[in-house]
Amino acid sequence: MDKFILIDGNSIIYRAFFAMPPLTNSKGLHTNAVYGFTTMLLRLLEEHKPTHVMVAFDAGKVTFRHEGYQEYKGGREKTPPELSEQFPLLKELLQGFGIAQFELAGFEADDIIGTLTKRADEAGRQVLVVSGDKDMLQLASENVHIGLTRKGVTDIELYDPAQIKERYGLTPLQIIDLKGLMGDASDNIPGIPGVGEKTALKLLHQFGSVEEVLNGTGELKGKMKEKIEAHAEDARMSKQLATIHREVPLEQTWEDMQFDGLKEELAGPALAKLEFKSLLERLSFRASVVSEQEAVPAAAVESSIATEETISELFSSLESIDVLHVETHGDNPHQAKLIGLAVGSAGIYTFLSPELLQSDAAAPVREWLGNADQPKRGYDLHRVDLALHAHGIEFAGASFDVQLAAYLLDPTESNQTISGLTTKYGLPSLVEDDSVMGKGAKYRVPEADILGDFLCRKAAAVAAIIPLQEQALESNEMNALFHELEMPLSRILADMEKQGIKANTADLQALGSEFEENISRLMAEIYKLSGTEFNLNSPKQLGEILFDKLGLPVVKKTKTGYSTDAEVLEKLAPYNDVVKHILQYRQLAKLQSTYVEGLLKEISDKDGKVHTFYRQTIAATGRLSSQFPNLQNIPIRMEEGRKIRKVFVPSEPGWSILAADYSQIELRVLAHISDDERLKEAFVQDMDIHTKTASDVFGVKPEEVDGDMRRSAKAVNFGIVYGISDYGLSQNLHITRKEAAQFIDQYFEVFQGVRRYMDDIVKEARQDGYVKTLLERRRYLPEINASNFNLRSFAERTAMNTPIQGTAADIIKLAMVQMDEALRERKLKSRMLLQVHDELVFEVPADELELMKELVPSVMEKALELSVPLKAEVSYGENWYEAK
DNA sequence: TATATCACG
DNA sequence: ACGTACGTGATATAT
């Protein structure tokens, strides 16, 4: 028998706040109300063993109650900030507990619960409602029992209709009348002045309801009669206000509240983050977080500052050292400054200044850093590798990167800093970088004693974090992903970045002059046609010219004013010739500023190359991203922009640029994970997937598919990968939503396996709170159960897209690791230079060209075996443009 | 520092 | 009824 618990979140957290003594965590956040709430919740879970749990929250400042009575809840003290700051903490904790949270704009928590209990009555479900508000008694029935907090929060008194009768002599519905007569100071509901609980009960026992009391005043006498007659209207309104609304348009169902028990890997960190150590212990959750911290308290970090004299002591023990922290400054690791180095193990760390590190005396330390056989654990070792390299020091042997592990454990966590991680794992907190060094223009490297101590503490924190992450990786089955894919890849990326790709400065400048001419010409023409000179780069000024001065129709608005993006301009083009010129100007201005001027700045004086930096811990799906400059968005779609690719050339004479890209990797991945027979068949036969889709969806032979049909099918395929919606597709194809919906329906009719996948993956996300790729990469989707339609829909599309995009990312990463091995094994001179999501770019000497033309696609295609073949297409030429 | 725009997969 | 396609980074203004 299912057992449901519905909790009035707002009521309980208020109760808890006032019932608990103040409590703050190490960051100074108040946590007492969350603590009280949690103890109550754990008790409920233990005592009632519910199968379904839900916590309802008030949403929106104005509820329907305010419409009739503006003073509703007026006079109530504003929620103290010490409590407000705890709402997000509570919600995050509940997320970690896997407990559903419902809220609905314009309604209060008790209305949501009222609606659900009505449904429960209709369906005969056993429900326990928990609140601190006596009003809830009006919901009681045979099926619905009410638990009210007594004194604190953990002590809960249960009521069913019989117990209400016994206590008050009233039926549940009469509880509303009770409040109508006596009012409620906390909600600013007036009732009848002078009528308290005693009088109200007496009146109700005599008359039965507010209405009958008001009708029967003849039977009363004296002061009482006067007061009731004078405040009849107040009583009626009060009753109305006290009535819980039981028909809110709630979308969620009972299944959305399913509770599968606390999962240590989710609930543990959530509790640890709040520093609820006693609760962790009570749940006997692995000291994941508690005992480790006692093993390495920050206070016990022994730090010293190495000098030329003491360094010999250090290198006598270097072999046993496996933790280091290298502090750098500057976003671009190729140009980062070295601030200092801390190395050590087991709580004893030594600081080396950059000067010392470069001294003759430190030669053994540098040898140690470059020795691949000496394992090293630390934070952001990819950046460390590049920064050291830029200062002539080689780095090898990275065995555990804390930042990379943190990314795999939660790729959307925005605070991946060491300090953020100590907080997350309930370790002794670390001072923030900013407060030691300052930030931005205020950045200052502190004196050696302070800096040394700080960096040693960071190293110690890294050492303390690692065992916790190892445990988490283990329980998430991510060991292979971490040790065999991401860690090796990190070194490969560093190699690619150090290698860089040659860019021809003169050609780029020539291209710039060509663009410049056209830009000037277009500017002059635009100023002439519009009759004004203005800053064309300012969307604001452009908007004023187009819409105010020239009176063109407004198609779309941004939150700050008129929208002037390309989509809008396309629509305006027929009205005025100036618009076409603006579109062309925009295109060239983009090429000029980002790709000519921007790229020129990034070409190194030293080697004439561009050294990008791949970020391995940013994209939520597992993709890489590229910075300084971004080499993953070099133009290709438009010929003008594509010319930029001509400047990327081999770094040695006679070599070629060779590029290989996966064909339709995302749809192939989809075919595999959805196991859709039709989609798989298409790839087994190596058909043109968009034509095939069109022929299936429109029910015509492949040779009868025309350009429009193929274009539509292509858009549908894209939509499918992105997590389709009729609206999105309609925008893309410039058709109505209805037509788009029809396309989608027809698509799913044909590709039923895909439909099943889309349904299942969303269910899975709801259940687990995350989705996974083939290689067990995870992405948490905390908003999958949100009551806000937009948030929830977004999470649903993400649930559909992430396994596809993420598995494709897994595959090309595998290919990169295997390709690196293949090049080494064969002792080839060819070098892997770039990755562009589904494409790998190499530079290849002439005598290896024939081999590489076979080897690269072969490795890519075999990177991971799926139920459909993977296909990689290779091309080469004198530059990146020709390798198409 | 935020917003709008646009380059890529 | 709700209002968006998924994932990034760089550039220019405007604040």
Side-chain angles (χ1 to χ4, degrees):
Chain A
M1 179 76 171
D2 286 346
K3 171 92 197 201
F4 295 79
I5 295 187
L6 312 180
I7 300 172
D8 181 344
N10 285 73
S11 163
I12 298 292
I13 197 173
Y14 258 93
R15 285 277 168 151
F17 180 70
F18 293 108
M20 303 295 296
L23 182 69
T24 52
N25 71 4
S26 58
K27 278 194 164 171
L29 279 178
H30 293 83
T31 54
N32 65 326
V34 181
Y35 186 84
F37 193 110
T38 311
T39 52
M40 179 225 65
L41 180 61
L42 292 176
R43 184 135 169 198
L44 279 176
L45 298 179
E46 280 163 20
E47 281 186 14
H48 296 272
K49 309 230 179 309
T51 57
H52 296 72
V53 185
M54 187 277 301
V55 180
F57 289 101
D58 297 355
K61 292 201 176 84
V62 177
T63 71
F64 68 93
R65 286 190 175 80
H66 291 87
E67 287 168 19
Y69 179 56
Q70 313 231 320
E71 284 75 23
Y72 177 66
K73 290 205 172 170
R76 176 182 280 203
E77 293 278 314
K78 232 187 113 215
T79 308
E82 297 87 316
L83 174 55
S84 316
E85 71 188 11
Q86 299 190 50
F87 276 93
L89 303 180
L90 175 62
K91 290 179 178 184
E92 196 179 339
L93 182 78
L94 290 172
Q95 173 70 36
F97 275 18
I99 287 178
Q101 306 172 47
F102 290 3
E103 51 184 29
L104 196 60
F107 294 96
E108 298 186 44
D110 51 8
D111 301 312
I112 292 174
I113 291 176
T115 302
L116 288 167
T117 53
K118 178 159 186 267
R119 293 184 194 171
D121 276 329
E122 289 159 3
R125 291 181 197 275
Q126 292 298 307
V127 173
L128 172 64
V129 171
V130 179
S131 176
D133 190 349
K134 212 164 61 181
D135 283 8
M136 286 294 192
L137 293 176
Q138 66 185 267
L139 303 176
S141 70
E142 278 319 307
N143 297 307
V144 178
H145 296 186
I146 313 293
L148 293 185
T149 53
R150 190 161 55 178
K151 280 182 256 161
V153 273
T154 48
D155 193 357
I156 287 169
E157 193 169 15
L158 294 179
Y159 288 90
D160 60 17
Q163 281 153 326
I164 295 171
K165 192 94 206 169
E166 193 183 321
R167 171 85 189 265
Y168 296 102
L170 300 176
T171 65
L173 285 178
Q174 284 179 306
I175 295 292
I176 309 174
D177 297 275
L178 179 66
K179 194 154 165 183
L181 292 173
M182 62 184 274
D184 184 340
S186 72
D187 284 349
N188 208 25
I189 294 178
I192 295 172
V195 175
E197 186 177 306
K198 288 270 165 57
T199 320
L201 283 174
K202 207 175 80 191
L203 289 166
L204 286 176
H205 293 153
Q206 187 179 345
F207 294 98
S209 72
V210 166
E211 289 73 13
E212 285 161 30
V213 171
L214 299 176
N215 285 335
T217 48
E219 296 177 50
L220 295 167
K221 52 190 175 192
K223 269 252 158 80
M224 174 70 67
K225 183 181 175 187
E226 281 171 36
K227 268 190 293 189
I228 293 174
E229 283 173 349
H231 293 94
E233 207 35 57
D234 282 344
R236 285 199 192 89
M237 183 188 70
S238 298
K239 179 173 175 180
Q240 213 180 343
L241 286 171
T243 306
I244 292 173
H245 186 37
R246 309 193 65 174
E247 296 282 5
V248 309
L250 197 63
E251 291 220 350
Q252 287 91 337
T253 64
W254 301 107
E255 285 87 78
D256 293 328
M257 304 177 200
Q258 187 166 324
F259 175 68
D260 303 321
L262 295 184
K263 301 276 184 346
E264 180 173 356
E265 62 275 20
L266 292 172
L271 288 165
K273 192 168 173 183
L274 289 161
E275 303 173 11
F276 291 166
K277 288 160 202 161
S278 62
L279 295 183
L280 277 166
E281 268 172 24
R282 170 169 159 192
L283 291 163
S284 60
F285 278 173
R286 217 149 333 167
S288 72
V289 236
V290 188
S291 64
E292 289 294 343
Q293 133 191 14
E294 278 149 16
V296 193
V301 174
E302 225 178 87
S303 67
S304 59
I305 299 173
T307 63
E308 290 208 18
E309 291 72 46
T310 61
I311 209 162
S312 57
E313 284 171 48
L314 176 65
F315 59 75
S316 66
S317 67
L318 270 171
E319 272 185 18
S320 64
I321 289 178
D322 67 343
V323 176
L324 85 167
H325 177 74
V326 179
E327 186 75 17
T328 63
H329 181 244
D331 288 333
N332 186 335
H334 295 290
Q335 294 155 20
K337 283 201 169 67
L338 288 183
I339 304 302
L341 167 79
V343 296
S345 61
I348 303 171
Y349 295 88
T350 309
F351 165 76
L352 284 83
S353 69
E355 296 72 36
L356 181 62
L357 186 60
Q358 297 285 11
S359 71
D360 291 345
V365 177
R366 295 195 297 274
E367 196 280 326
W368 173 81
L369 282 168
N371 185 348
D373 296 327
Q374 287 282 341
K376 296 168 194 78
R377 308 184 292 166
Y379 179 85
D380 199 359
L381 299 176
H382 176 191
R383 177 180 294 268
V384 167
D385 185 338
L386 295 184
L388 287 173
H389 176 79
H391 291 86
I393 300 170
E394 291 312 308
F395 179 83
S399 64
F400 194 108
D401 187 322
V402 165
Q403 191 193 32
L404 205 42
Y407 167 70
L408 291 188
L409 291 170
D410 185 355
T412 54
E413 171 63 62
S414 52
N415 187 355
Q416 293 174 344
T417 60
I418 298 176
S419 151
L421 290 168
T422 58
T423 308
K424 177 184 170 100
Y425 286 109
L427 294 164
S429 52
L430 201 61
V431 186
E432 294 292 333
D433 288 357
D434 295 356
S435 64
V436 180
M437 332 254 220
K439 66 170 170 181
K442 291 201 184 89
Y443 185 89
R444 293 286 179 280
V445 179
E447 293 302 311
D449 53 343
I450 295 179
L451 178 67
D453 185 65
F454 182 51
L455 298 191
C456 288
R457 282 178 189 282
K458 281 198 179 187
V462 163
I465 291 165
I466 290 170
L468 308 182
Q469 290 186 323
E470 282 176 330
Q471 209 166 58
L473 290 169
E474 171 77 36
S475 71
N476 287 3
E477 300 180 308
M478 285 178 171
N479 275 331
L481 178 65
F482 180 70
H483 291 289
E484 288 162 37
L485 187 65
E486 298 290 358
M487 284 301 304
L489 181 68
S490 153
R491 197 267 308 154
I492 294 167
L493 292 174
D495 287 350
M496 291 163 64
E497 294 154 350
K498 289 179 212 163
Q499 186 58 238
I501 184 166
K502 182 98 171 171
N504 190 322
T505 305
D507 286 359
L508 192 53
Q509 281 165 337
L511 200 52
S513 316
E514 189 187 317
F515 292 154
E516 195 53 56
E517 262 178 53
N518 289 323
I519 288 173
S520 317
R521 195 174 43 74
L522 285 163
M523 273 174 78
E525 187 69 15
I526 291 163
Y527 292 154
K528 201 177 98 190
L529 286 171
S530 63
T532 324
E533 294 206 1
F534 59 100
N535 188 342
L536 251 176
N537 293 323
S538 162
K540 189 169 173 243
Q541 293 183 35
L542 177 62
E544 283 158 15
I545 301 289
L546 292 178
F547 305 107
D548 294 337
K549 184 157 188 296
L550 300 177
L552 296 177
V554 177
V555 185
K556 192 167 73 174
K557 294 198 128 199
T558 67
K559 62 175 118 175
T560 53
Y562 305 121
S563 170
T564 65
D565 66 20
E567 202 191 316
V568 169
L569 295 182
E570 294 289 354
K571 292 204 175 97
L572 297 178
Y575 292 91
N576 195 319
D577 282 349
V578 75
V579 178
K580 278 190 212 89
H581 293 95
I582 294 170
L583 277 164
Q584 283 186 34
Y585 169 87
R586 278 260 177 91
Q587 201 192 351
L588 289 177
K590 179 81 175 183
L591 293 176
Q592 188 72 303
S593 68
T594 305
Y595 297 103
V596 176
E597 289 162 7
L599 217 43
L600 280 170
K601 282 185 214 142
E602 297 289 346
I603 299 175
S604 160
D605 310 330
K606 293 194 187 94
D607 57 11
K609 289 179 175 184
V610 180
H611 301 269
T612 189
F613 173 53
Y614 288 106
R615 293 213 285 176
Q616 206 179 347
T617 62
I618 291 297
T621 52
R623 277 189 175 183
L624 299 175
S625 87
S626 156
Q627 264 187 325
F628 320 129
N630 182 352
L631 292 183
Q632 292 183 317
N633 70 347
I634 303 300
I636 191 167
R637 294 173 192 168
M638 306 296 283
E639 178 55 29
E640 274 304 286
R642 193 170 193 158
K643 289 181 184 163
I644 299 281
R645 294 185 172 226
K646 291 186 180 179
V647 312
F648 292 97
V649 295
S651 64
E652 314 215 18
W655 288 36
S656 301
I657 296 289
L658 178 144
D661 68 305
Y662 280 112
S663 161
Q664 301 299 347
I665 187 166
E666 292 188 336
L667 287 172
R668 286 173 197 260
V669 165
L670 174 62
H672 175 87
I673 58 186
S674 70
D675 207 34
D676 183 288
E677 289 306 327
R678 225 148 164 165
L679 199 52
K680 283 196 295 183
E681 178 68 12
F683 286 119
V684 169
Q685 312 261 347
D686 198 21
M687 303 167 84
D688 175 320
I689 190 62
H690 304 315
T691 303
K692 165 74 174 158
T693 305
S695 118
D696 285 348
V697 168
F698 298 116
V700 300
K701 290 181 188 149
E703 54 272 25
E704 289 166 357
V705 172
D706 64 26
D708 264 3
M709 292 158 84
R710 187 175 183 283
R711 201 172 54 85
S712 304
K714 187 172 174 179
V716 172
N717 279 330
F718 267 92
I720 291 292
V721 169
Y722 292 158
I724 196 139
S725 75
D726 50 9
Y727 184 85
L729 183 64
S730 75
Q731 291 293 298
N732 193 291
L733 281 179
H734 300 112
I735 57 177
T736 66
R737 234 173 85 175
K738 230 178 173 167
E739 291 166 324
Q742 264 178 358
F743 272 159
I744 295 168
D745 260 7
Q746 286 173 54
Y747 179 94
F748 280 137
E749 207 50 51
V750 178
F751 298 99
Q752 299 199 11
V754 176
R755 170 184 288 178
R756 198 177 330 111
Y757 162 74
M758 297 293 170
D759 290 346
D760 289 351
I761 195 73
V762 169
K763 275 191 207 139
E764 190 181 317
R766 269 195 207 120
Q767 198 117 110
D768 302 340
Y770 61 85
V771 291
K772 290 188 303 187
T773 67
L774 271 191
L775 297 195
E776 301 289 334
R777 186 187 302 282
R778 275 185 193 197
R779 178 173 182 179
Y780 292 93
L781 299 169
E783 281 157 354
I784 195 78
N785 290 316
S787 57
N788 178 309
F789 175 89
N790 281 329
L791 293 179
R792 192 176 61 248
S793 304
F794 188 25
E796 287 169 358
R797 291 195 297 275
T798 310
M800 300 184 225
N801 170 265
T802 293
I804 302 173
Q805 191 182 120
T807 299
D810 292 347
I811 291 173
I812 194 162
K813 283 177 166 180
L814 278 174
M816 292 170 78
V817 172
Q818 293 169 16
M819 200 59 229
D820 181 77
E821 271 167 26
L823 291 177
R824 280 165 199 278
E825 247 172 43
R826 293 173 171 75
K827 298 199 164 43
L828 295 174
K829 299 189 290 296
S830 296
R831 302 164 185 142
M832 185 153 60
L833 301 181
L834 303 176
Q835 188 252 44
V836 194
H837 307 308
D838 65 354
E839 174 188 15
L840 294 176
V841 179
F842 299 81
E843 58 182 4
V844 177
D847 62 347
E848 291 178 6
L849 193 54
E850 287 307 310
L851 171 65
M852 288 290 281
K853 273 161 63 181
E854 304 298 323
L855 180 63
V856 174
S858 153
V859 168
M860 288 170 75
E861 287 170 0
K862 286 186 215 147
L864 184 67
E865 189 169 333
L866 302 183
S867 58
V868 293
L870 286 173
K871 187 176 169 189
E873 290 170 319
V874 68
S875 58
Y876 61 94
E878 284 181 17
N879 54 55
W880 197 6
Y881 178 95
E882 288 179 17
K884 62 177 174 187

